[in-house]
Coordinates of all heavy atoms in Angstrom, one line a residue:
M130 N 36.4 138.6 18.5 CA 37.5 138.3 17.6 C 37.1 137.4 16.5 O 36.5 136.3 16.7 CB 38.7 137.8 18.4 CG 39.9 137.6 17.7 SD 41.3 137.4 18.8 CE 42.2 136.1 18.1
E131 N 37.5 137.7 15.3 CA 37.1 136.9 14.1 C 38.0 135.7 14.0 O 39.2 135.8 14.2 CB 37.3 137.8 12.8 CG 36.7 137.2 11.6 CD 35.2 136.9 11.7 OE1 34.5 137.7 12.3 OE2 34.7 135.9 11.3
P132 N 37.5 134.5 13.7 CA 38.3 133.3 13.5 C 39.3 133.5 12.4 O 39.1 134.2 11.4 CB 37.3 132.2 13.1 CG 35.9 132.8 13.3 CD 36.1 134.3 13.4
K133 N 40.5 132.9 12.6 CA 41.5 132.9 11.6 C 41.4 131.8 10.6 O 41.0 130.7 10.9 CB 42.9 132.8 12.3 CG 43.3 134.0 13.1 CD 44.7 133.9 13.5 CE 45.1 135.1 14.3 NZ 46.5 135.1 14.7
L134 N 41.7 132.1 9.4 CA 41.7 131.2 8.3 C 43.2 130.9 7.9 O 44.0 131.7 8.0 CB 41.0 131.7 7.1 CG 39.5 131.9 7.2 CD1 38.9 132.5 5.9 CD2 38.8 130.7 7.6
R135 N 43.4 129.6 7.6 CA 44.7 129.2 7.0 C 44.4 128.8 5.6 O 43.6 127.9 5.4 CB 45.3 128.1 7.9 CG 45.8 128.6 9.2 CD 46.2 127.5 10.1 NE 46.6 128.0 11.4 CZ 45.7 128.3 12.4 NH1 44.4 128.2 12.2 NH2 46.1 128.7 13.6
V136 N 45.2 129.3 4.6 CA 44.9 129.0 3.2 C 46.2 128.6 2.6 O 47.2 129.3 2.7 CB 44.3 130.2 2.5 CG1 44.0 129.8 1.0 CG2 43.0 130.6 3.2
V137 N 46.2 127.5 1.9 CA 47.4 127.0 1.1 C 47.0 127.0 -0.3 O 46.0 126.5 -0.7 CB 47.9 125.6 1.6 CG1 49.0 125.1 0.7 CG2 48.3 125.6 3.0
A138 N 47.8 127.6 -1.2 CA 47.6 127.6 -2.6 C 48.4 126.5 -3.3 O 49.6 126.4 -3.1 CB 48.0 129.0 -3.2
Q139 N 47.7 125.6 -4.0 CA 48.3 124.5 -4.7 C 48.1 124.7 -6.2 O 47.0 124.5 -6.7 CB 47.8 123.2 -4.2 CG 48.0 122.9 -2.8 CD 47.3 121.7 -2.3 OE1 46.3 121.2 -2.9 NE2 47.7 121.1 -1.2
F140 N 49.1 125.1 -7.0 CA 49.0 125.3 -8.4 C 49.3 124.0 -9.1 O 50.2 123.2 -8.8 CB 50.0 126.3 -8.9 CG 49.6 127.7 -8.5 CD1 50.0 128.2 -7.2 CD2 48.9 128.5 -9.3 CE1 49.7 129.5 -6.9 CE2 48.6 129.8 -9.0 CZ 49.0 130.3 -7.7
D141 N 48.5 123.7 -10.2 CA 48.8 122.6 -11.1 C 50.0 122.9 -11.8 O 50.4 124.1 -12.1 CB 47.6 122.4 -12.1 CG 46.5 121.6 -11.5 OD1 46.5 121.2 -10.3 OD2 45.5 121.4 -12.2
I142 N 50.7 121.9 -12.3 CA 52.0 122.0 -13.0 C 51.8 122.8 -14.3 O 52.7 123.5 -14.7 CB 52.6 120.7 -13.2 CG1 54.1 120.9 -13.5 CG2 51.9 119.9 -14.3 CD1 55.0 119.7 -13.2
D143 N 50.6 122.7 -14.9 CA 50.4 123.5 -16.1 C 49.9 124.9 -15.9 O 49.7 125.6 -16.8 CB 49.5 122.7 -17.1 CG 48.1 122.5 -16.5 OD1 47.8 123.0 -15.3 OD2 47.3 121.9 -17.1
L144 N 49.8 125.3 -14.6 CA 49.3 126.6 -14.2 C 48.0 127.0 -14.8 O 47.7 128.2 -15.1 CB 50.4 127.7 -14.6 CG 51.8 127.5 -13.9 CD1 52.7 128.5 -14.3 CD2 51.6 127.5 -12.4
R145 N 47.1 126.1 -14.9 CA 45.7 126.3 -15.4 C 44.7 126.4 -14.2 O 43.6 126.8 -14.4 CB 45.3 125.3 -16.4 CG 46.0 125.4 -17.7 CD 45.5 124.5 -18.7 NE 46.3 124.6 -20.0 CZ 46.2 123.8 -20.9 NH1 45.4 122.8 -20.9 NH2 46.9 124.0 -22.0
K146 N 45.1 125.8 -13.1 CA 44.2 125.7 -12.0 C 45.0 125.9 -10.7 O 46.1 125.4 -10.6 CB 43.6 124.3 -12.0 CG 42.6 124.1 -10.8 CD 41.7 122.9 -10.9 CE 42.5 121.6 -10.7 NZ 41.7 120.4 -10.7
V147 N 44.4 126.5 -9.7 CA 44.9 126.7 -8.4 C 43.8 126.2 -7.4 O 42.7 126.5 -7.6 CB 45.4 128.1 -8.0 CG1 44.2 129.1 -8.1 CG2 46.1 128.1 -6.7
R148 N 44.2 125.4 -6.5 CA 43.3 125.0 -5.4 C 43.7 125.7 -4.1 O 44.9 125.6 -3.7 CB 43.5 123.5 -5.2 CG 42.6 122.9 -4.1 CD 42.8 121.4 -3.9 NE 42.3 120.8 -5.1 CZ 41.4 119.8 -5.1 NH1 40.9 119.3 -3.9 NH2 41.0 119.2 -6.2
L149 N 42.8 126.5 -3.6 CA 43.0 127.2 -2.3 C 42.4 126.3 -1.2 O 41.2 126.2 -1.1 CB 42.3 128.6 -2.4 CG 42.8 129.5 -3.5 CD1 42.0 130.8 -3.5 CD2 44.3 129.8 -3.3
V150 N 43.3 125.6 -0.5 CA 42.8 124.7 0.6 C 42.7 125.6 1.8 O 43.6 126.2 2.3 CB 43.8 123.6 0.8 CG1 43.4 122.6 1.9 CG2 44.1 122.8 -0.5
V151 N 41.4 125.6 2.4 CA 41.1 126.5 3.5 C 40.9 125.6 4.7 O 40.2 124.6 4.7 CB 39.8 127.3 3.2 CG1 39.4 128.2 4.3 CG2 39.9 128.0 1.8
R152 N 41.5 126.1 5.8 CA 41.2 125.5 7.1 C 40.8 126.6 8.1 O 41.1 127.8 7.9 CB 42.5 124.9 7.7 CG 43.0 123.7 7.0 CD 44.3 123.3 7.6 NE 44.9 122.2 6.8 CZ 45.0 121.0 7.2 NH1 44.6 120.6 8.4 NH2 45.5 120.0 6.4
G153 N 39.9 126.2 9.1 CA 39.4 127.2 10.0 C 37.9 127.4 9.8 O 37.3 126.6 9.1
R154 N 37.4 128.4 10.5 CA 35.9 128.7 10.4 C 35.7 129.8 9.5 O 36.1 130.9 9.7 CB 35.4 129.0 11.8 CG 33.9 129.2 11.8 CD 33.3 129.2 13.2 NE 31.9 129.6 13.2 CZ 30.9 128.9 12.8 NH1 31.1 127.7 12.2 NH2 29.7 129.4 12.8
V155 N 35.0 129.6 8.4 CA 34.6 130.6 7.4 C 33.3 131.2 7.8 O 32.3 130.5 7.9 CB 34.6 130.0 6.0 CG1 34.3 131.1 5.0 CG2 35.9 129.3 5.6
T156 N 33.3 132.6 7.9 CA 32.1 133.3 8.2 C 31.9 134.3 7.1 O 32.7 134.5 6.2 CB 32.3 134.1 9.5 OG1 33.3 135.1 9.4 CG2 32.6 133.1 10.7
E157 N 30.7 135.0 7.1 CA 30.5 136.0 6.1 C 31.6 137.1 6.1 O 31.9 137.6 5.1 CB 29.1 136.7 6.4 CG 27.9 135.8 6.0 CD 26.6 136.5 6.3 OE1 26.2 136.4 7.4 OE2 26.1 137.1 5.3
Q158 N 32.0 137.5 7.3 CA 33.0 138.5 7.4 C 34.4 138.1 6.9 O 35.0 138.8 6.1 CB 33.2 139.0 8.9 CG 32.0 139.7 9.4 CD 30.8 138.8 9.7 OE1 31.0 137.6 10.1 NE2 29.6 139.3 9.6
N159 N 34.9 136.9 7.3 CA 36.3 136.6 6.9 C 36.3 135.9 5.5 O 37.4 135.7 5.0 CB 37.0 135.7 7.9 CG 36.4 134.3 8.1 OD1 35.6 133.8 7.4 ND2 36.8 133.7 9.2
S160 N 35.1 135.6 4.9 CA 35.1 135.0 3.6 C 35.6 136.0 2.6 O 36.0 135.6 1.5 CB 33.7 134.5 3.2 OG 32.8 135.5 3.1
R161 N 35.6 137.3 2.9 CA 36.1 138.3 2.0 C 37.5 138.0 1.6 O 37.9 138.3 0.5 CB 35.9 139.7 2.7 CG 34.5 140.0 3.0 CD 34.4 141.2 4.0 NE 34.9 142.4 3.4 CZ 34.2 143.3 2.8 NH1 32.9 143.2 2.6 NH2 34.8 144.4 2.3
V162 N 38.3 137.5 2.5 CA 39.7 137.2 2.3 C 39.8 136.1 1.1 O 40.7 136.2 0.3 CB 40.3 136.6 3.6 CG1 41.2 135.4 3.4 CG2 41.2 137.7 4.2
L163 N 38.8 135.2 1.1 CA 38.9 134.2 0.0 C 38.6 134.9 -1.4 O 39.2 134.5 -2.4 CB 37.8 133.1 0.3 CG 38.0 132.4 1.6 CD1 36.9 131.3 1.8 CD2 39.4 131.7 1.7
Y164 N 37.8 135.9 -1.4 CA 37.5 136.6 -2.6 C 38.8 137.3 -3.1 O 39.2 137.4 -4.2 CB 36.4 137.6 -2.5 CG 35.0 137.0 -2.2 CD1 34.3 137.3 -1.1 CD2 34.5 136.1 -3.2 CE1 33.1 136.7 -0.9 CE2 33.2 135.5 -2.9 CZ 32.5 135.9 -1.8 OH 31.3 135.3 -1.6
V165 N 39.5 137.9 -2.1 CA 40.7 138.7 -2.4 C 41.8 137.7 -2.9 O 42.5 138.0 -3.9 CB 41.3 139.4 -1.1 CG1 42.7 139.9 -1.3 CG2 40.3 140.5 -0.7
L166 N 41.9 136.5 -2.3 CA 42.9 135.5 -2.8 C 42.6 135.0 -4.2 O 43.4 134.8 -5.0 CB 43.0 134.4 -1.8 CG 43.6 134.7 -0.5 CD1 43.5 133.5 0.5 CD2 45.0 135.2 -0.6
A167 N 41.3 134.8 -4.5 CA 40.9 134.4 -5.8 C 41.2 135.5 -6.8 O 41.7 135.1 -7.9 CB 39.4 134.1 -5.8
R168 N 41.0 136.7 -6.5 CA 41.3 137.8 -7.4 C 42.8 137.9 -7.6 O 43.3 138.1 -8.8 CB 40.8 139.1 -6.9 CG 39.4 139.4 -7.2 CD 39.0 140.9 -7.0 NE 37.6 141.0 -7.2 CZ 36.7 140.9 -6.3 NH1 37.0 140.5 -5.1 NH2 35.4 141.0 -6.6
R169 N 43.6 137.8 -6.6 CA 45.0 137.9 -6.7 C 45.6 136.8 -7.6 O 46.5 137.0 -8.4 CB 45.7 137.8 -5.3 CG 45.6 139.1 -4.6 CD 46.3 139.1 -3.3 NE 46.1 140.4 -2.6 CZ 46.6 140.6 -1.4 NH1 47.3 139.7 -0.8 NH2 46.4 141.7 -0.8
A170 N 45.1 135.6 -7.4 CA 45.5 134.4 -8.2 C 45.2 134.7 -9.7 O 46.0 134.5 -10.6 CB 44.9 133.1 -7.7
N171 N 44.0 135.2 -9.9 CA 43.6 135.5 -11.3 C 44.4 136.6 -11.9 O 44.7 136.7 -13.1 CB 42.1 135.8 -11.4 CG 41.6 135.8 -12.8 OD1 41.6 134.8 -13.5 ND2 41.1 136.9 -13.2
A172 N 44.7 137.6 -11.1 CA 45.5 138.8 -11.6 C 46.9 138.3 -12.0 O 47.5 138.8 -13.0 CB 45.6 139.9 -10.6
T173 N 47.4 137.3 -11.3 CA 48.8 136.8 -11.6 C 48.7 135.9 -12.9 O 49.6 136.0 -13.7 CB 49.3 135.9 -10.4 OG1 49.3 136.7 -9.3 CG2 50.6 135.3 -10.7
L174 N 47.7 135.1 -13.0 CA 47.5 134.2 -14.2 C 46.1 134.4 -14.7 O 45.2 133.6 -14.3 CB 47.8 132.8 -13.8 CG 49.2 132.5 -13.4 CD1 49.3 131.1 -12.7 CD2 50.2 132.5 -14.6
P175 N 45.8 135.4 -15.5 CA 44.4 135.6 -16.0 C 43.8 134.3 -16.6 O 44.5 133.6 -17.3 CB 44.5 136.7 -17.0 CG 45.7 137.4 -16.5 CD 46.7 136.4 -16.0
G176 N 42.6 134.0 -16.3 CA 41.9 132.8 -16.9 C 42.1 131.6 -16.1 O 41.6 130.5 -16.4
L177 N 42.7 131.7 -14.9 CA 43.0 130.6 -14.0 C 41.7 130.0 -13.5 O 40.8 130.8 -13.1 CB 43.9 131.1 -12.9 CG 44.5 130.1 -12.0 CD1 45.6 129.3 -12.7 CD2 45.2 130.9 -10.8
N178 N 41.6 128.7 -13.4 CA 40.5 128.1 -12.7 C 40.8 128.0 -11.3 O 41.8 127.4 -10.8 CB 40.3 126.7 -13.3 CG 39.1 125.9 -12.7 OD1 38.4 126.5 -11.9 ND2 38.9 124.7 -13.1
V179 N 40.0 128.7 -10.4 CA 40.2 128.8 -9.0 C 39.3 127.9 -8.3 O 38.1 127.9 -8.5 CB 40.1 130.2 -8.5 CG1 40.3 130.3 -7.0 CG2 41.0 131.2 -9.2
V180 N 39.8 126.9 -7.5 CA 39.0 126.0 -6.7 C 39.2 126.3 -5.2 O 40.3 126.3 -4.7 CB 39.4 124.5 -7.0 CG1 38.6 123.6 -6.1 CG2 39.3 124.2 -8.4
L181 N 38.1 126.7 -4.6 CA 38.1 126.9 -3.1 C 37.8 125.5 -2.5 O 36.6 125.1 -2.5 CB 37.1 127.9 -2.7 CG 37.4 129.4 -3.1 CD1 36.3 130.3 -2.7 CD2 38.7 129.8 -2.5
D182 N 38.8 124.9 -1.9 CA 38.6 123.6 -1.2 C 38.3 123.8 0.3 O 39.2 124.2 1.0 CB 39.8 122.8 -1.4 CG 39.7 121.4 -0.9 OD1 38.7 121.1 -0.1 OD2 40.5 120.5 -1.2
L183 N 37.0 123.6 0.6 CA 36.6 123.9 2.0 C 36.4 122.6 2.8 O 35.8 122.6 3.9 CB 35.3 124.7 2.0 CG 35.3 126.0 1.2 CD1 33.9 126.6 1.0 CD2 36.2 127.0 2.0
H184 N 36.9 121.5 2.3 CA 36.8 120.2 3.0 C 37.3 120.2 4.4 O 36.8 119.5 5.2 CB 37.4 119.0 2.1 CG 36.6 118.6 1.0 ND1 37.1 118.7 -0.3 CD2 35.4 118.2 0.8 CE1 36.2 118.3 -1.2 NE2 35.1 118.0 -0.5
L185 N 38.3 120.9 4.6 CA 39.0 120.9 6.0 C 38.5 122.1 6.8 O 39.1 122.4 7.9 CB 40.5 121.0 5.8 CG 41.1 119.8 5.0 CD1 42.6 120.0 4.8 CD2 40.8 118.5 5.7
A186 N 37.5 122.8 6.3 CA 37.0 124.0 7.1 C 35.6 123.8 7.5 O 34.9 122.9 7.1 CB 37.0 125.2 6.1
T187 N 35.2 124.6 8.5 CA 33.8 124.7 8.8 C 33.3 126.1 8.2 O 34.1 127.0 8.1 CB 33.5 124.7 10.3 OG1 34.3 125.7 11.0 CG2 34.0 123.3 10.9
I188 N 32.0 126.1 7.9 CA 31.5 127.3 7.2 C 30.1 127.6 7.6 O 29.3 126.7 7.8 CB 31.7 127.2 5.7 CG1 31.3 128.5 5.0 CG2 30.9 126.0 5.2 CD1 31.7 128.5 3.5
T189 N 29.8 128.9 7.8 CA 28.4 129.3 8.2 C 27.6 129.1 6.9 O 28.1 129.3 5.8 CB 28.4 130.7 8.7 OG1 28.8 131.6 7.7 CG2 29.2 130.9 10.0
P190 N 26.3 128.8 7.1 CA 25.4 128.7 6.0 C 25.4 129.9 5.1 O 25.4 129.8 3.8 CB 24.0 128.4 6.6 CG 24.3 127.8 7.9 CD 25.6 128.5 8.4
A191 N 25.4 131.1 5.7 CA 25.3 132.3 4.9 C 26.6 132.5 4.0 O 26.5 132.9 2.9 CB 25.1 133.5 5.8
A192 N 27.7 132.2 4.6 CA 29.0 132.3 3.9 C 29.0 131.3 2.7 O 29.5 131.6 1.6 CB 30.2 132.1 4.8
L193 N 28.6 130.1 3.0 CA 28.6 129.1 1.9 C 27.6 129.5 0.8 O 27.9 129.3 -0.4 CB 28.1 127.7 2.5 CG 28.1 126.6 1.5 CD1 29.5 126.4 0.9 CD2 27.7 125.3 2.2
N194 N 26.5 130.0 1.2 CA 25.5 130.5 0.2 C 26.1 131.6 -0.7 O 26.0 131.6 -1.9 CB 24.3 131.0 0.8 CG 23.2 131.4 -0.2 OD1 22.9 130.6 -1.0 ND2 22.6 132.6 0.0
D195 N 26.8 132.6 -0.1 CA 27.5 133.6 -0.9 C 28.6 133.1 -1.8 O 28.7 133.5 -3.0 CB 28.1 134.7 0.1 CG 27.1 135.5 0.8 OD1 25.9 135.5 0.5 OD2 27.5 136.2 1.8
L196 N 29.4 132.2 -1.3 CA 30.4 131.6 -2.1 C 29.8 130.8 -3.3 O 30.3 130.8 -4.4 CB 31.4 130.7 -1.3 CG 32.3 131.4 -0.3 CD1 32.9 130.5 0.6 CD2 33.3 132.2 -1.1
R197 N 28.8 130.0 -3.0 CA 28.1 129.3 -4.1 C 27.5 130.2 -5.2 O 27.6 129.9 -6.4 CB 27.0 128.4 -3.5 CG 27.6 127.1 -2.9 CD 26.5 126.1 -2.5 NE 27.1 124.9 -2.0 CZ 26.6 124.2 -1.1 NH1 25.4 124.5 -0.5 NH2 27.2 123.1 -0.7
L198 N 26.9 131.3 -4.7 CA 26.4 132.3 -5.7 C 27.5 132.8 -6.6 O 27.3 132.9 -7.8 CB 25.7 133.4 -4.9 CG 25.0 134.5 -5.8 CD1 23.9 133.9 -6.7 CD2 24.5 135.6 -4.9
S199 N 28.6 133.2 -6.0 CA 29.8 133.6 -6.8 C 30.2 132.6 -7.8 O 30.6 132.9 -8.9 CB 30.9 134.0 -5.9 OG 30.6 135.2 -5.1
S200 N 30.2 131.3 -7.3 CA 30.6 130.2 -8.2 C 29.7 130.1 -9.4 O 30.1 129.9 -10.5 CB 30.7 128.9 -7.4 OG 31.0 127.8 -8.2
E201 N 28.4 130.2 -9.1 CA 27.4 130.0 -10.1 C 27.4 131.2 -11.1 O 27.2 131.0 -12.3 CB 26.0 129.8 -9.5 CG 25.9 128.5 -8.8 CD 24.6 128.5 -7.9 OE1 23.8 129.4 -7.9 OE2 24.5 127.5 -7.1
T202 N 27.5 132.4 -10.6 CA 27.4 133.6 -11.5 C 28.8 133.9 -12.1 O 28.8 134.7 -13.1 CB 26.9 134.8 -10.7 OG1 27.8 135.1 -9.7 CG2 25.5 134.5 -10.1
G203 N 29.9 133.5 -11.5 CA 31.2 133.9 -12.0 C 31.6 135.3 -11.6 O 32.5 135.9 -12.1
A204 N 30.8 135.9 -10.7 CA 31.1 137.3 -10.2 C 31.5 137.2 -8.8 O 30.9 136.5 -8.0 CB 29.8 138.1 -10.4
L205 N 32.5 138.0 -8.4 CA 32.9 138.2 -7.1 C 32.4 139.5 -6.6 O 32.4 140.5 -7.3 CB 34.4 138.1 -6.9 CG 35.0 136.8 -7.4 CD1 36.6 136.9 -7.2 CD2 34.5 135.6 -6.7
P206 N 32.0 139.6 -5.3 CA 31.5 140.9 -4.8 C 32.6 142.0 -4.8 O 33.7 141.7 -4.5 CB 31.0 140.6 -3.4 CG 31.7 139.4 -3.0 CD 32.0 138.6 -4.3
L207 N 32.2 143.2 -5.0 CA 33.2 144.3 -4.9 C 33.4 144.6 -3.4 O 32.4 144.7 -2.7 CB 32.7 145.6 -5.6 CG 32.6 145.5 -7.1 CD1 32.0 146.8 -7.6 CD2 34.0 145.3 -7.7
L208 N 34.6 144.7 -3.0 CA 34.9 144.9 -1.6 C 35.4 146.3 -1.3 O 35.1 146.8 -0.2 CB 36.0 143.8 -1.2 CG 35.7 142.4 -1.4 CD1 36.9 141.5 -1.1 CD2 34.5 142.0 -0.6
T209 N 36.1 146.9 -2.2 CA 36.7 148.2 -1.9 C 36.4 149.2 -3.0 O 36.6 150.4 -2.8 CB 38.2 148.2 -1.6 OG1 38.8 147.8 -2.9 CG2 38.6 147.2 -0.6
G210 N 35.9 148.8 -4.1 CA 35.7 149.7 -5.2 C 36.9 150.0 -6.1 O 36.8 150.8 -7.0
H211 N 38.0 149.3 -5.8 CA 39.2 149.5 -6.6 C 39.0 148.9 -8.0 O 38.4 147.8 -8.1 CB 40.4 148.9 -5.9 CG 40.9 149.7 -4.7 ND1 41.7 150.8 -4.8 CD2 40.6 149.6 -3.4 CE1 41.9 151.3 -3.6 NE2 41.2 150.6 -2.8
K212 N 39.7 149.4 -9.0 CA 39.6 149.0 -10.3 C 40.1 147.5 -10.5 O 39.5 146.8 -11.2 CB 40.5 149.9 -11.2 CG 40.5 149.6 -12.6 CD 41.3 150.7 -13.4 CE 41.7 150.2 -14.7 NZ 42.6 151.2 -15.4
E213 N 41.1 147.1 -9.7 CA 41.7 145.8 -9.9 C 40.7 144.7 -9.4 O 40.9 143.5 -9.6 CB 43.0 145.6 -9.2 CG 43.0 146.0 -7.7 CD 43.4 147.4 -7.5 OE1 43.5 148.2 -8.4 OE2 43.6 147.8 -6.3
E214 N 39.7 145.1 -8.7 CA 38.7 144.1 -8.2 C 37.9 143.6 -9.4 O 37.2 142.6 -9.2 CB 37.7 144.8 -7.2 CG 38.3 144.9 -5.9 CD 37.3 145.2 -4.8 OE1 36.3 145.9 -5.2 OE2 37.5 144.8 -3.7
L215 N 37.9 144.2 -10.5 CA 37.2 143.7 -11.7 C 37.7 142.4 -12.2 O 37.1 141.7 -13.0 CB 37.1 144.8 -12.8 CG 36.4 146.1 -12.3 CD1 36.5 147.1 -13.5 CD2 35.0 145.9 -11.9
L216 N 39.0 142.1 -11.8 CA 39.6 140.8 -12.2 C 39.0 139.7 -11.4 O 39.4 139.4 -10.3 CB 41.1 140.9 -12.0 CG 41.9 141.9 -12.9 CD1 43.3 142.0 -12.4 CD2 41.8 141.6 -14.3
A217 N 38.1 139.0 -12.0 CA 37.5 137.8 -11.3 C 37.8 136.6 -12.1 O 37.9 136.6 -13.3 CB 36.0 138.0 -11.3
P218 N 38.0 135.5 -11.4 CA 38.3 134.2 -12.1 C 37.2 133.9 -13.1 O 36.0 134.1 -12.8 CB 38.4 133.2 -11.0 CG 38.5 134.0 -9.8 CD 37.9 135.3 -10.0
Q219 N 37.6 133.4 -14.3 CA 36.6 132.9 -15.2 C 35.9 131.7 -14.7 O 34.7 131.5 -14.9 CB 37.3 132.5 -16.6 CG 37.8 133.7 -17.3 CD 38.5 133.3 -18.6 OE1 38.8 132.1 -18.8 NE2 38.7 134.3 -19.5
Q220 N 36.6 130.9 -13.9 CA 36.0 129.7 -13.3 C 36.3 129.7 -11.8 O 37.5 129.7 -11.4 CB 36.6 128.4 -13.9 CG 36.3 128.2 -15.4 CD 34.9 127.9 -15.6 OE1 34.2 127.2 -14.8 NE2 34.3 128.3 -16.7
L221 N 35.3 129.7 -11.0 CA 35.5 129.6 -9.6 C 34.6 128.4 -9.1 O 33.4 128.4 -9.3 CB 35.0 130.9 -8.9 CG 35.0 130.9 -7.4 CD1 36.5 130.8 -6.9 CD2 34.3 132.1 -6.8
S222 N 35.3 127.4 -8.5 CA 34.6 126.2 -8.1 C 34.7 126.2 -6.5 O 35.7 126.6 -6.0 CB 35.2 125.0 -8.7 OG 35.2 125.0 -10.1
I223 N 33.7 125.6 -5.9 CA 33.6 125.4 -4.5 C 33.5 123.9 -4.2 O 32.7 123.2 -4.7 CB 32.4 126.1 -3.9 CG1 32.3 127.5 -4.3 CG2 32.4 125.9 -2.4 CD1 33.4 128.4 -3.8
L224 N 34.5 123.4 -3.4 CA 34.4 122.1 -2.8 C 34.0 122.2 -1.4 O 34.8 122.6 -0.5 CB 35.7 121.4 -2.9 CG 36.3 121.2 -4.3 CD1 37.7 120.5 -4.3 CD2 35.3 120.4 -5.2
A225 N 32.7 122.1 -1.1 CA 32.1 122.3 0.2 C 32.5 121.2 1.2 O 32.7 120.1 0.8 CB 30.6 122.4 0.1
P226 N 32.5 121.6 2.5 CA 32.8 120.6 3.5 C 31.6 119.7 3.7 O 30.5 120.0 3.3 CB 32.9 121.5 4.8 CG 32.2 122.8 4.5 CD 32.3 123.0 3.0
A227 N 31.9 118.5 4.2 CA 30.8 117.5 4.4 C 29.9 118.0 5.5 O 30.4 118.7 6.5 CB 31.4 116.2 4.9
A228 N 28.6 117.8 5.4 CA 27.6 118.3 6.4 C 27.7 117.7 7.7 O 28.3 116.8 8.1 CB 26.2 118.1 5.8

């Protein structure tokens, strides 16, 4: 059984940034949900700066590496091949958990 994630979205008052506060254990498999949430936030408000706050989560090294790569390149992996997946945040930042 895959670990459950709990995510709270905190929008700035000017709606330029959203912080997705993640709790639980992030793995390669369930990290896909974080990509979906980032895309949904960006589809709602294009150009939104999306911050994945992982301070309260634990994360596998592979999942953290994938999220960092997406943050550096600005590209999110395609998950289903749907057209709406092309909507990726212009800015994706990762706040990694303490080691």
Side-chain angles (χ1 to χ4, degrees):
M130 185 164 138
E131 193 59 40
K133 288 188 180 186
L134 295 179
R135 289 172 185 79
V136 181
V137 173
Q139 299 173 337
F140 288 86
D141 279 359
I142 196 156
D143 62 3
L144 298 178
R145 292 186 182 167
K146 180 170 72 172
V147 62
R148 179 181 294 235
L149 300 175
V150 181
V151 181
R152 291 177 188 249
R154 181 165 171 74
V155 180
T156 65
E157 284 179 278
Q158 291 75 28
N159 69 13
S160 66
R161 299 166 64 94
V162 134
L163 301 178
Y164 295 121
V165 170
L166 291 174
R168 276 195 183 88
R169 283 186 183 174
N171 192 63
T173 303
L174 296 165
L177 191 66
N178 182 0
V179 178
V180 178
L181 291 177
D182 186 342
L183 302 168
H184 283 123
L185 301 175
T187 58
I188 186 166
T189 64
L193 183 57
N194 186 50
D195 291 347
L196 288 168
R197 282 189 175 146
L198 181 62
S199 291
S200 175
E201 291 167 4
T202 63
L205 300 180
L207 291 177
L208 303 176
T209 65
H211 287 276
K212 183 175 159 183
E213 57 270 7
E214 283 193 329
L215 300 176
L216 295 171
Q219 291 179 344
Q220 296 290 327
L221 177 67
S222 305
I223 308 294
L224 300 177

